[in-house]
Amino acid sequence: MPKMKIAVVPKPGADFELQEREIPQPGPGQVRIRVQACGICFSDSLVKDGHWPGLSYPRSPGHEVAGVIADLGPGVTNWKQGQRVGVGWHGGQDNTCLYCRRGDFANCSQQKITGFNFDGGYAENMIAPIEALAQMPDSLDAAEAAPLLCAGITTTIHCAITARCPAIS
């Protein structure tokens, strides 16, 4: 099997370890992304230091991911291999809770967080659910785009709390 490199936190408070693992295969409703760039966020320290409830280890953080779809899981029809995508904090939703039924996926009661609930972008390849993907234009540089993927949830929460959304006011 082909191998890849991945930076993981083996246990809460431990130093990062660079490991070699088999390249993961996407399951139903998932894609495998060849990571081109991943930003570093202060929230990643919550994974490293074990300050987020319910984390399982080892874990690879990174929720500011820019890359290319390398493989499609079963049932994935709206995305294509070679397509550029980004993955941010929001790593998926259940589509059944009250928030999801209202279209408020950022507040899903079973929300998944990239790099918290599943391995993130501190790797050469990662698996992501399709509901976590954002299409990225070819003209956008991956290293410049990756940090922007964190801001979406922050902006959404700010708007919800303050009822002021400067981008749409």
Side-chain angles (χ1 to χ4, degrees), residues 74-113:
V76 176
T77 58
N78 293 333
W79 298 92
K80 298 178 182 134
Q81 286 184 340
Q83 192 170 6
R84 294 196 67 219
V85 294
V87 181
W89 175 270
H90 181 79
Q93 69 272 351
D94 68 11
N95 292 317
T96 61
C97 71
L98 178 62
Y99 291 108
C100 286
R101 291 193 314 267
R102 292 179 175 167
D104 186 5
F105 305 118
N107 288 308
C108 172
S109 60
Q110 299 299 315
Q111 180 185 139
K112 295 177 194 157
I113 301 170

Side-chain angles (χ1 to χ4, degrees), residues 41-63:
C41 179
F42 177 77
S43 299
D44 296 335
S45 69
L46 300 174
V47 175
K48 184 183 178 317
D49 296 331
H51 294 306
W52 192 270
L55 288 174
S56 62
Y57 292 86
R59 178 64 63 220
S60 179
H63 59 270

Side-chain angles (χ1 to χ4, degrees), residues 2-146:
K3 302 278 186 178
M4 67 169 200
K5 291 186 175 138
I6 183 170
V8 300
V9 180
K11 62 183 180 181
D15 289 335
F16 279 94
E17 291 180 1
L18 188 59
Q19 297 180 354
E20 190 173 79
R21 290 189 185 167
E22 289 185 5
I23 294 176
Q25 299 306 308
Q30 298 177 330
V31 299
R32 178 169 52 87
I33 299 168
R34 185 174 31 81
V35 176
Q36 295 176 317
C38 183
I40 298 172
C41 179
F42 177 77
S43 299
D44 296 335
S45 69
L46 300 174
V47 175
K48 184 183 178 317
D49 296 331
H51 294 306
W52 192 270
L55 288 174
S56 62
Y57 292 86
R59 178 64 63 220
S60 179
H63 59 270
E64 300 178 5
V65 183
V68 175
I69 294 177
D71 199 9
L72 306 171
V76 176
T77 58
N78 293 333
W79 298 92
K80 298 178 182 134
Q81 286 184 340
Q83 192 170 6
R84 294 196 67 219
V85 294
V87 181
W89 175 270
H90 181 79
Q93 69 272 351
D94 68 11
N95 292 317
T96 61
C97 71
L98 178 62
Y99 291 108
C100 286
R101 291 193 314 267
R102 292 179 175 167
D104 186 5
F105 305 118
N107 288 308
C108 172
S109 60
Q110 299 299 315
Q111 180 185 139
K112 295 177 194 157
I113 301 170
T114 307
F116 286 63
N117 295 99
F118 57 90
D119 285 335
Y122 286 21
E124 292 179 320
N125 290 273
M126 68 171 284
I127 300 295
I130 57 172
E131 62 266 20
L133 302 178
Q135 187 173 347
M136 199 166 61
D138 291 337
S139 61
L140 196 56
D141 180 75
E144 291 177 359

